[in-house]
């Protein structure tokens, strides 16, 4: 698929989708903002005390907000990328059945679109951090690396789910429900230490736990991420993507017939 | 130029799409194969127009989708030089919430045009679609005619090597249609190839150089337009029964002393109820007597699609007295050169006493059957009928 067409899809996704509403593309940012507000109001008291023992005491009363936002914005981007790719063939069925479009690279527009939303949300977060005299560190350079790892995983998983959902419509709902569980099984709004020690295997097996932890290690605590964990997630993402591409090539004829 | 070699396409019909997954996992077939295209080969040269006709489900759309690379064949190859643009369904990918101008860009990209090409042809597209300042309004404010005009304008300006047209020429009013036809003509003269699918047999005869008839996924015939259309009509006729009279109001009214039991209108050469202007129409009427009647008049009236009387006559005018005995069946054949213009017509039939039906009407049957004139033999003409003039100059 050529680049201008990809950009057109991104533009359509970000702007034209909201062309008829008064606030337009602003709605894309209001969802993460409302989530941040809700979770801050509900959890900041409960979690705040625990955070102070984890090297975040210098942030004072903003500690929980900073902790939450570093994890939550990335999660919203990850889950939106994955779930929206899962549905991409049905959403674009009208085009796929009429115009020649590569099935493998079509989902890239979702990845780009959600990445732009993330970058915009993050820039607001950076402004907020500037206002509260945040301790910046060189470890922020890790951010694109961790983010790339996460998006490759989202693309790979989404692609596999998207192919499966052509044959089994339930996949979309399963992914939606699964994403809810996944969210609460990852220490995004809560602190990992509130979970009993012997349950921690759930975290170790959860790739997003590793990326979330990596964001916090680098952005907030100013230290290197866990290379091992991050590396494994990257490998997992790449293998899923490779599997998705293989699967897609293998059943492309069937996908086109079914749509 | 586009060339198709031995293309076969089978659809696997599953009860549920999920069965395809189970098939992959358990490695046993769970589908019923349906052969949509069976060993199709064709070639459309530069500047040539190929028509594809066939009944619903004959494989026309599948073939078009394969030519457009949207579906992949099981076997066989497709070779095309240059861009292939399809006018499959007008306005694919149009977004009603954005302006016409933005839609030109979006649609152009989908059709494979580059940004530069779109920029350069934008004004020509707007001009061709006759949209004027409406181009900056959102598409939802357009009438359906305006949307279609815009879609056609974009597609024709995409400047493809091969143009696929699927039942899409009934765009806009007569003026715009003529403009489209002129543009298509220019396109062919510049060496563009066209594959044209339509049920409008008249249009097929008008613009195609060659026609392929598809029947149940097989290529039934590839021939000159008229020959192919006649062949197609035979396929159609083979699956249509004669108009048997079963009684009841819809088969007309009258005293039924003598009844029309069977009627048929066929082209002398086409053998079906679609014929060319200039061909002979054979109207066969079978009547059955329920009493002995000495003087019967058989009358007929051809009406056009607006219900206007076009031509009518009867056996009385023609000095051909008819009679029948009780229980007897007689077949009467009227042979007339079909000098009418292309279009759809109906025939109303009547059996009555004397010159008209006011004395005693035995059987009056409105719109007993219909036929279609499609394409013109010999010189083209305008209007409702062909007066076949000769021309001299001094």
């Amino acid at each position: 698929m050529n680049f201008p067409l990809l950009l057109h899809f991104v533009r359509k996704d970000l702007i034209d989708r909201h062309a008829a509403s008064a606030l337009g593309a602003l709605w894309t940012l209001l969802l993460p903002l409302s989530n941040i507000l809700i979770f801050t109001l509900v959890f900041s008291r409960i979690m705040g005390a625990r955070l102070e023992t984890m090297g975040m005491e210098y942030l004072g009363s903003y500690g929980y907000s900073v902790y939450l936002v570093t994890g939550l914005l990335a999660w919203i981007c990850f889950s939106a990328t994955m779930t929206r790719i899962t549905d991409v063939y049905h959403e674009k069925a009208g085009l796929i059945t009429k115009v020649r479009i590569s099935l493998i690279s079509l989902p890239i527009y979702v990845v780009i679109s959600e990445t732009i939303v993330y970058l915009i949300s993050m820039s607001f977060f950076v402004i907020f951090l500037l206002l509260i005299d945040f301790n910046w560190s060189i470890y922020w350079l890790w951010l694109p690396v961790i983010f790339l790892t996460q998006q490759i995983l989202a693309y790979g998983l989404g692609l596999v789910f998207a192919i499966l959902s052509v044959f089994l419509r339930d996949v979309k709902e399963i992914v939606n429900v699964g994403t809810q569980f996944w969210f609460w099984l990852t220490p995004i709004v809560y602190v990992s230490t509130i979970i009993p020690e012997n349950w921690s295997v759930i975290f170790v097996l959860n790739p997003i736990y590793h990326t979330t932890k990596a964001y916090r290690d680098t952005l907030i605590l100013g230290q290197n991420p866990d290379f091992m964990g991050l590396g494994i997630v990257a490998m997992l993402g790449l293998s899923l993507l490779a599997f998705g591409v293989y699967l897609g090539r293998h059943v492309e004829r069937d996908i086109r017939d079914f749509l | 130029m586009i060339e198709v070699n031995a293309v076969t396409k089978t659809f696997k019909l599953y009860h549920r799409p999920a069965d395809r997954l189970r098939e992959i996992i358990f490695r046993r077939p769970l589908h019923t194969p349906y052969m949509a295209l069976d060993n199709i080969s064709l070639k459309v040269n530069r500047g040539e127009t190929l028509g594809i006709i066939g009944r619903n489900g004959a494989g026309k759309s599948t073939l078009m989708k394969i030519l457009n690379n949207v579906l992949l064949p099981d076997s066989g190859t497709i070779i095309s030089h240059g861009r292939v643009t399809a006018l499959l369904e007008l306005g694919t990918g149009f977004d009603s919430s954005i302006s016409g101008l933005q839609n030109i860009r979006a649609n152009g990209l989908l059709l494979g045009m580059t940004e530069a090409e779109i920029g350069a042809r934008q004004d020509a597209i707007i001009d061709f679609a006759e949209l004027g300042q409406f181009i900056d309004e959102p598409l939802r404010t357009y009438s359906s005619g305006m949307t279609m005009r815009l879609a056609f304008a974009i597609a024709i300006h995409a400047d493809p090597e091969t143009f696929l047209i699927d039942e899409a020429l009934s765009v806009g009013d007569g003026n715009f249609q003529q403009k489209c036809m002129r543009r298509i003509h220019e396109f062919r003269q510049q060496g563009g190839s066209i594959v044209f699918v339509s049920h409008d047999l008249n249009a097929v005869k008008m613009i195609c150089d060659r026609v392929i008839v598809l029947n149940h996924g097989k290529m039934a015939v590839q021939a000159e337009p008229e020959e192919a259309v006649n062949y197609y009509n035979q396929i159609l006729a083979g699956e249509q029964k004669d108009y048997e009279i079963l009684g009841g109001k819809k088969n007309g009214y009258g005293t039924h002393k003598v009844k029309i039991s069977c009627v048929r209108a066929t082209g002398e050469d086409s053998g079906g109820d679609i014929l060319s202007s200039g061909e002979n129409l054979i109207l066969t009427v079978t009547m059955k007597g329920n009493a002995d009647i000495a003087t019967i008049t058989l009358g007929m009236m051809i009406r056009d699609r607006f219900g206007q009387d076009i031509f009518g006559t009867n056996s009385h005018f023609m000095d051909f007295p008819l009679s029948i005995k009780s229980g007897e069946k007689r077949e009467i054949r009227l042979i007339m050169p079909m000098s009418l213009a292309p279009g759809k017509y109906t025939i109303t039939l009547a059996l009555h006493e004397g010159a008209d039906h006011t004395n005693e009407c035995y059987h009056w049957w409105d719109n007993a059957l219909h036929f279609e004139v499609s394409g013109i033999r010999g010189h083209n003409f305008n209007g409702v009928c062909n007066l076949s003039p000769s021309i001299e100059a001094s």
Side-chain angles (χ1 to χ4, degrees):
Chain A
M1 188 155 51
N2 59 13
F3 193 63
L5 186 58
L6 210 55
L7 280 189
H8 164 70
F9 282 140
V10 172
R11 190 199 133 87
K12 195 173 155 73
D13 195 48
L14 286 176
I15 298 166
D16 300 345
R17 198 162 42 141
H18 302 282
S21 56
L23 288 182
L26 216 56
W27 281 113
T28 323
L29 299 178
L30 287 176
L31 175 79
L33 198 65
S34 61
N35 271 328
I36 291 167
L37 263 175
I38 291 166
F39 289 128
T40 308
L41 288 174
V42 177
F43 291 105
S44 70
R45 290 275 160 142
I46 311 168
M47 301 297 167
R50 282 178 182 268
L51 283 175
E52 282 172 16
T53 62
M54 294 172 67
M56 297 177 201
E57 52 277 358
Y58 74 95
L59 289 168
S61 55
Y62 297 115
Y64 178 70
S65 301
V66 175
Y67 175 85
L68 173 73
V69 174
T70 42
L72 188 63
L73 290 182
W75 167 265
I76 290 173
C77 180
F78 171 77
S79 63
T81 306
M82 182 182 67
T83 52
R84 291 195 47 219
I85 290 180
T86 302
D87 203 34
V88 77
Y89 295 146
H90 292 296
E91 198 186 313
K92 295 280 182 204
L95 288 182
I96 295 172
T97 52
K98 300 278 158 29
V99 188
R100 181 72 172 153
I101 293 176
S102 155
L103 295 179
I104 306 293
S105 53
L106 175 66
I108 294 176
Y109 90 85
V110 179
V111 180
I112 298 177
S113 168
E114 292 300 330
T115 299
I116 290 172
V117 173
Y118 175 75
L119 290 179
I120 296 170
S121 330
M122 274 304 274
S123 55
F124 283 107
F125 181 53
V126 166
I127 293 168
F128 169 77
L129 291 180
L130 287 171
L131 291 175
I132 63 165
D133 281 333
F134 184 73
N135 281 358
W136 299 93
S137 74
I138 189 83
Y139 293 95
W140 272 70
L141 292 176
W142 275 101
L143 176 62
V145 179
I146 306 166
F147 184 73
L148 187 70
T149 310
Q150 166 203 313
Q151 288 301 80
I152 289 173
L153 182 69
Y155 186 13
L157 272 175
L159 187 61
V160 174
F161 291 146
I163 293 165
L164 293 180
S165 81
V166 172
F167 304 104
L168 196 66
R169 286 302 281 257
D170 313 47
V171 168
K172 184 191 169 191
E173 307 305 329
I174 295 168
V175 169
N176 280 336
V177 174
T179 309
Q180 291 296 318
F181 279 99
W182 197 347
F183 175 68
W184 290 103
L185 285 173
T186 312
I188 293 165
V189 297
Y190 59 86
V191 183
S192 58
T193 52
I194 65 164
I195 301 290
E197 194 70 26
N198 50 352
W199 282 38
S200 61
V201 65
I202 297 175
F203 293 150
V204 177
L205 293 177
N206 176 354
I208 294 303
Y209 168 76
H210 295 286
T211 56
T212 308
K213 189 165 174 300
Y215 284 121
R216 284 168 181 156
D217 284 343
T218 53
L219 304 187
I220 306 177
L221 300 177
Q223 62 192 44
N224 273 323
D226 173 11
F227 296 122
M228 179 80 167
L230 204 58
I232 291 173
V233 176
M235 292 298 291
L236 178 70
L238 285 171
S239 357
L240 274 167
L241 191 57
F243 176 66
V245 171
Y246 166 78
L247 192 64
R249 293 246 163 88
H250 195 67
V251 297
E252 179 173 2
R253 184 176 300 147
D254 299 275
I255 295 175
R256 291 186 184 276
D257 289 356
F258 274 120
L259 284 176
Chain B
M1 197 220 58
I2 195 161
E3 193 178 341
V4 168
N5 291 314
V7 158
T8 296
K9 174 78 190 172
T10 314
F11 285 112
K12 298 170 184 164
L13 303 179
Y14 296 89
H15 286 295
R16 288 164 301 171
D19 283 351
R20 172 72 185 122
L21 277 189
R22 287 167 58 200
E23 207 175 69
I24 294 172
I25 297 163
F26 300 114
R27 304 213 171 258
R28 65 190 163 90
L30 286 167
H31 64 264
T32 343
Y34 171 78
M35 191 165 263
L37 291 176
D38 186 2
N39 196 20
I40 301 289
S41 299
L42 57 90
K43 187 174 178 189
V44 192
N45 294 316
R46 279 173 55 83
E48 196 184 25
T49 301
L50 177 77
I52 300 176
I53 55 179
R55 298 174 52 242
N56 290 329
K60 303 185 297 292
S61 299
T62 307
L63 180 57
M64 287 299 247
K65 284 187 170 179
I66 284 178
L67 290 177
N68 193 26
N69 250 321
V70 173
L71 285 181
L72 306 177
D74 300 339
S75 63
T77 53
I78 296 122
I79 305 158
S80 60
H81 293 294
R83 185 186 293 159
V84 177
T85 295
L87 201 58
L88 288 171
E89 263 164 53
L90 283 175
T92 296
F94 269 3
D95 186 336
S96 63
S97 62
I98 60 178
S99 76
L101 200 62
Q102 286 166 307
N103 268 303
I104 291 180
R105 199 174 156 272
N107 210 248
L109 286 172
L110 282 172
L111 293 179
M113 291 161 86
T114 64
E115 300 260 5
E117 283 172 331
I118 296 169
R121 292 170 200 167
Q122 187 166 300
D123 291 335
I125 293 172
I126 300 168
D127 193 47
F128 189 88
E130 299 166 14
L131 284 169
Q133 74 271 32
F134 274 103
I135 202 67
D136 293 318
E137 302 292 325
L139 209 68
R140 71 185 131 79
T141 62
Y142 286 26
S143 71
S144 56
M146 289 159 79
T147 313
M148 302 263 265
R149 291 204 310 259
L150 181 61
F152 187 88
I154 299 170
I156 196 82
H157 283 88
D159 208 15
E161 280 285 302
T162 309
F163 203 23
L164 308 176
I165 307 175
D166 195 348
E167 290 285 6
L169 280 181
S170 50
V171 183
D173 54 21
N175 252 332
F176 190 75
Q177 280 190 23
Q178 283 175 10
K179 197 157 114 182
C180 291
M181 290 306 282
R182 273 201 303 277
R183 185 66 205 231
I184 286 176
H185 199 68
E186 277 171 34
F187 173 75
R188 288 164 61 186
Q189 280 181 334
Q190 286 157 12
S193 321
I194 297 176
V195 182
F196 181 56
V197 166
S198 183
H199 284 113
D200 181 351
L201 300 175
N202 198 33
V204 168
K205 282 187 187 176
M206 256 163 57
I207 72 170
C208 297
D209 301 308
R210 252 183 322 130
V211 174
I212 284 175
V213 182
L214 285 182
N215 195 22
H216 300 301
K218 290 192 175 67
M219 186 142 80
V221 77
Q222 173 164 203
E224 297 285 301
E226 176 150 354
E227 201 185 326
V229 167
N230 286 347
Y231 185 87
Y232 171 60
N233 286 331
Q234 280 171 23
I235 295 178
L236 281 181
E239 307 193 4
Q240 272 174 1
K241 295 221 168 76
D242 291 349
Y243 290 83
E244 292 286 346
I245 292 179
L246 302 163
K249 201 178 174 188
K250 72 172 191 164
N251 295 326
Y253 49 86
T255 59
H256 289 331
K257 283 183 188 166
V258 54
K259 279 181 70 174
I260 299 162
S261 60
C262 181
V263 289
R264 226 172 1 169
T266 50
E268 194 173 43
D269 304 317
S270 73
D273 60 357
I274 305 176
L275 68 161
S276 306
S277 187
E279 188 178 334
N280 275 341
L281 176 78
I282 303 171
L283 176 66
T284 313
V285 179
T286 312
M287 60 178 187
K288 189 168 175 262
N290 294 323
D292 291 0
I293 301 165
T295 55
I296 305 170
T297 301
L298 168 68
M300 58 144 293
M301 174 62 74
I302 296 175
R303 294 200 174 106
D304 68 6
R305 62 199 167 99
F306 305 111
Q308 291 234 58
D309 290 358
I310 298 296
F311 173 77
T313 187
N314 62 39
S315 54
H316 181 79
F317 291 163
M318 294 163 79
D319 284 326
F320 193 87
L322 290 164
S323 63
I324 201 162
K325 293 200 166 58
S326 182
E328 191 189 4
K329 259 191 176 182
R330 293 190 71 178
E331 196 180 270
I332 301 129
R333 279 149 50 91
L334 276 164
I335 298 140
M336 57 198 117
M338 191 38 63
S339 308
L340 296 180
K344 289 183 174 161
Y345 299 91
T346 63
I347 301 181
T348 295
L349 293 167
L351 291 171
H352 51 79
E353 192 192 8
D356 60 47
H357 64 279
T358 45
N359 286 339
E360 183 173 0
C361 180
Y362 305 122
H363 188 181
W364 181 282
W365 192 4
D366 273 314
N367 301 338
L369 73 169
H370 51 85
F371 66 94
E372 186 179 344
V373 178
S374 149
I376 295 168
R377 267 192 204 170
H379 301 296
N380 208 344
F381 65 92
N382 294 323
V384 293
C385 69
N386 189 357
L387 297 178
S388 304
S390 56
I391 188 162
E392 289 167 7
S394 59

